[in-house]
Amino acid sequence: MNPKLVSIYRYAIERDREDVTLREAVNATGYSEKQIKRDVNVWAQSGWVEYRPGRGRGHESVIQFAPSFNQVLTTWVDTTFARITMAEAAKWLEWEWPPLLREKIQAHIWGRFGFEQTEEDRFIFPRTRALASLDPLDIHIAMEASLARHLFDRLFEWDGNVIRPSLAHHIEATRFGFRLYIRKGVLFHNGMSLSANEIVYSLNRLLRYGKQRWLFAPIERVDSPAPFIVDIYTSAHGGYIERLLAQTPASISYKGFEGTVGTGPFKLERVSEDVTRFQAFERGLRPRPSLDVVEFVTFSEADHAEWSMRDDHRLVKWVAEAGARYAVFNMRHSWLKDAPDVRRAILRTIDKTALVALGGERHQVAHGFFPEASQEVKREAEDRIDVRPIRLLHLPYATATEDANLIAQQLTFAGFTVETEVYTLSVLFEEETLRRADIILCGEMMNEDRDLAFLAFMTSELSLVGKLLGEDATLRTMMDRYHQVDLDVWPHLHREVERYVTEQAYVVPLYHVARERRFPSFLGDVPIDIYGHPRYEQLWIRPSL
């Protein structure tokens, strides 16, 4: 059985027939006559069809389906589904099935999502895209950041309130900075023992190649005087260093297997365009997860949306994100970088209230990136309209498209000329993408450590704002003050930085997000992280007795 035969059969039953001509089969599948004829011989040998070659002018070749073919196809689906993987089943949804049979296949697939208890306890979850890099130095997407916390451990962990020891069980101040004492007996996913050498390698790699260089700049160097001792050379105070070493980029991975081998509660067993599979790690630092496997299967957006809205997804959690959806002006390549009055006109024209009124995940108007401290900045009317075209880039998702269309309408009504264009996350930081943009719509979701997340957002090469505003000397000076003051002064500096980038019309915070997460009701209470994703190491299945 293959997609060609299924497409031909659907073509026939949609016309209330049991046969099709060879020419119709070619049109239904997009394959050549030669390719169809080659498969027809196999189908005929299986008893599924009868092939009658056309003889003489005006007599076409015909493919006749066996009277029992519908039952044969249904049985094949049932028996084959019992032994194929979810990734293979996902590919079935790309076939041109008869509508009723497609619904049956969907029911099969949806029934296998969530918890599955066989010889292993599995949690299977659909995704609309393949996962990007899980290398801690490259992560800039919330889903990947969430998963990295399950694959890798860090020297410390920050839960939003207090710092806790992790791979480092003790820290002490020294004349050169700090000395860390590393836990013994910790294994990497490949079975190798953790020692100070692997930590020194990971941190030096971060200092040399990391894309958050400003954030980690206070660390001058890292070395090890003994197998389970790591020395951090720095003039920064301990509170900053501990929280810095709890960040995702500071995750510890094994040399040569960066982004794939860590010491976390799950190990990466398989990764491809179709499926990503995590396996519980038996001998990790943290307790062994109750789940044996967590698997992510790639589906189309339409199939994912249909799965998400099923009746049994009655467990709803709302996650109010720290951060905001925003528009950023291209201060590197756009003509707008030399037209501050035009940028201010655009800023004043955008009606954020109208955006929030679109509903969905749009929670409240944003004037900054901290929802609880979001305050409007009053501006003088020093602006002008310019008819030069403005290219507005946005992500291909429905919410981003709605935002872009409404903003384009608002600007057009005010007298601007706006062209909208789509970009994808995979090409966001490429020069070709940036060179064709005047304004880019994006979003920032901060992690548990909102203070450091905000600093990374303003300075990192993995942040759109950090990349586009990196050459602004005033902003650099403002950011450098963070390295010189205690952490309790930081909230005040946050407000100053937000006021500066909005008054200069560099960044336009649009709205804060409260995201809906839906889970099947049989899961019970699902512990979720700051990104709104499950804490997979805490999920478990009640055994059936």
Side-chain angles (χ1 to χ4, degrees):
M1 206 68 68
N2 63 25
K4 282 183 248 179
L5 182 57
V6 172
S7 295
I8 294 169
Y9 182 60
R10 174 170 176 164
Y11 182 91
I13 64 173
E14 283 181 343
R15 288 155 181 78
D16 198 23
R17 290 159 46 190
E18 294 183 353
D19 59 42
V20 298
T21 66
L22 181 60
R23 176 172 47 83
E24 289 174 324
V26 168
N27 291 336
T29 63
Y31 288 90
S32 67
E33 282 193 14
K34 183 177 180 180
Q35 291 171 309
I36 297 295
K37 286 180 179 179
R38 183 172 59 240
D39 279 12
V40 161
N41 292 328
V42 177
W43 302 335
Q45 291 173 11
S46 299
W48 299 336
V49 303
E50 177 187 349
Y51 179 61
R52 301 195 298 271
R55 303 185 186 281
R57 180 174 297 181
H59 296 277
E60 294 196 71
S61 299
V62 174
I63 300 171
Q64 175 79 43
F65 284 94
S68 62
F69 182 75
N70 186 67
Q71 183 57 49
V72 168
L73 184 57
T74 302
T75 301
W76 179 85
V77 166
D78 291 338
T79 57
T80 306
F81 187 84
R83 58 180 172 78
I84 63 174
T85 67
M86 283 296 287
E88 291 169 327
K91 290 298 183 185
W92 277 10
L93 292 177
E94 299 175 6
W95 295 17
E96 294 294 325
W97 298 97
L100 291 179
L101 194 51
R102 191 179 201 280
E103 291 179 7
K104 182 181 180 69
I105 291 168
Q106 282 183 323
H108 274 312
I109 292 174
W110 301 157
R112 279 177 62 177
F113 278 122
F115 283 140
E116 181 177 75
Q117 190 174 40
T118 53
E119 70 280 359
E120 59 184 18
D121 291 348
R122 293 195 297 166
F123 185 83
I124 307 174
F125 198 77
R127 296 291 302 159
T128 57
R129 62 173 177 83
L131 294 176
S133 171
L134 290 172
D135 187 332
L137 301 193
D138 296 332
I139 290 174
H140 63 280
I141 305 173
M143 178 65 178
E144 280 74 351
S146 176
L147 293 180
R149 312 297 284 192
H150 295 83
L151 292 179
F152 307 102
D153 291 311
R154 287 143 294 282
L155 292 163
F156 300 95
E157 295 295 340
W158 169 259
D159 66 3
N161 296 298
V162 297
I163 201 78
R164 302 184 188 280
S166 183
L167 293 177
H169 65 79
H170 181 68
I171 181 173
E172 65 182 22
T174 65
R175 56 180 175 75
F176 54 77
F178 299 94
R179 173 160 286 173
L180 310 181
Y181 295 87
I182 309 304
R183 295 186 190 277
K184 297 179 180 180
V186 178
L187 296 182
F188 282 100
H189 297 147
N190 59 4
M192 302 301 291
S193 296
L194 172 75
S195 70
N197 289 338
E198 287 74 35
I199 292 174
V200 170
Y201 168 77
S202 288
L203 295 183
N204 279 330
R205 175 174 175 261
L206 166 62
L207 297 180
R208 185 174 302 172
Y209 303 112
K211 299 177 177 65
Q212 297 189 9
R213 297 178 183 177
W214 180 91
L215 196 64
F216 288 86
I219 297 179
E220 299 164 12
R221 64 186 177 94
V222 180
D223 63 24
S224 172
F228 293 95
I229 296 176
V230 173
D231 288 339
I232 306 290
Y233 288 77
T234 180
S235 58
H237 55 79
Y240 182 83
I241 293 300
E242 288 179 339
R243 286 173 64 174
L244 200 60
L245 296 178
Q247 298 298 296
T248 297
S251 298
I252 306 303
S253 57
Y254 194 76
K255 183 178 181 179
F257 296 88
E258 298 83 359
T260 59
V261 175
T263 64
F266 287 96
K267 62 183 178 180
L268 188 62
E269 184 178 82
R270 180 185 174 192
V271 59
S272 69
E273 288 290 317
D274 302 324
V275 63
T276 299
R277 180 182 169 96
F278 290 178
Q279 180 81 38
F281 186 43
E282 301 288 344
R283 300 180 62 184
L285 173 67
R286 292 176 264 177
R288 195 259 197 213
S290 294
L291 288 180
D292 299 311
V293 172
V294 178
E295 192 169 276
F296 304 91
V297 182
T298 306
F299 282 85
S300 70
E301 286 195 41
D303 284 311
H304 183 275
E306 186 167 341
W307 172 83
S308 299
M309 298 309 295
R310 291 176 66 226
D311 291 340
D312 65 348
H313 283 65
R314 294 189 296 270
L315 179 61
V316 179
K317 289 179 178 283
W318 284 89
V319 181
E321 295 180 4
R325 297 293 187 270
Y326 64 90
V328 59
F329 292 95
N330 190 344
M331 299 302 293
R332 289 180 57 181
H333 303 299
S334 172
W335 62 270
L336 287 169
K337 65 184 175 63
D338 300 317
D341 49 350
V342 179
R343 297 199 308 271
R344 292 191 184 95
I346 293 172
L347 187 152
R348 290 168 62 87
T349 299
I350 295 175
D351 184 352
K352 301 177 185 181
T353 303
L355 284 170
V356 174
L358 292 174
E361 62 187 18
R362 305 169 183 87
H363 182 53
Q364 70 181 67
V365 168
H367 303 295
F369 292 88
F370 296 85
E372 70 282 358
S374 195
Q375 297 180 356
E376 185 175 5
V377 177
K378 299 297 183 181
R379 303 172 183 85
E380 299 296 328
E382 300 175 0
D383 47 44
R384 67 179 174 87
I385 306 299
D386 195 302
V387 297
R388 281 179 284 183
I390 297 171
R391 187 168 294 170
L392 176 66
L393 268 60
H394 65 90
L395 286 164
Y397 311 123
T399 298
T401 302
E402 291 172 352
D403 291 344
N405 289 340
L406 180 55
I407 290 173
Q409 290 173 12
Q410 293 173 351
L411 295 179
T412 300
F413 184 78
F416 294 99
T417 303
V418 182
E419 303 168 356
T420 61
E421 188 174 318
V422 171
Y423 73 89
T424 62
L425 286 172
S426 61
V427 300
L428 174 56
F429 297 115
E430 294 180 2
E431 278 298 304
E432 182 180 349
T433 302
L434 297 178
R435 286 187 180 279
R436 71 174 191 266
D438 295 304
I439 305 174
I440 304 176
L441 297 186
C442 201
E444 175 64 17
M445 185 190 304
M446 298 183 188
N447 61 26
E448 290 94 339
D449 196 330
R450 298 184 181 187
D451 292 315
L452 291 188
F454 180 72
L455 301 191
F457 174 59
M458 300 304 299
T459 61
S460 170
E461 294 179 31
L462 291 175
S463 159
L464 194 57
V465 169
K467 195 170 185 69
L468 295 179
L469 302 185
E471 298 178 2
D472 186 278
T474 301
L475 180 58
R476 293 302 98 191
T477 300
M478 295 179 72
M479 299 307 300
D480 287 342
R481 290 179 58 195
Y482 283 94
H483 289 160
Q484 303 163 12
V485 300
D486 291 335
L487 273 64
D488 58 1
V489 182
W490 283 14
H492 174 70
L493 296 183
H494 295 340
R495 303 291 88 75
E496 288 188 0
V497 171
E498 284 184 330
R499 179 181 294 271
Y500 175 73
V501 297
T502 53
E503 285 184 341
Q504 295 299 312
Y506 291 158
V507 180
V508 186
L510 299 173
Y511 57 83
H512 300 294
V513 168
R515 187 184 296 275
E516 180 185 80
R517 298 292 190 187
R518 303 177 67 90
F519 302 96
S521 55
F522 62 77
L523 293 186
D525 187 31
V526 179
I528 57 177
D529 61 19
I530 191 69
Y531 302 107
H533 299 291
R535 296 185 182 272
Y536 300 106
E537 82 280 9
Q538 297 179 24
L539 294 178
W540 63 287
I541 303 176
R542 188 183 303 277
S544 300
L545 301 176

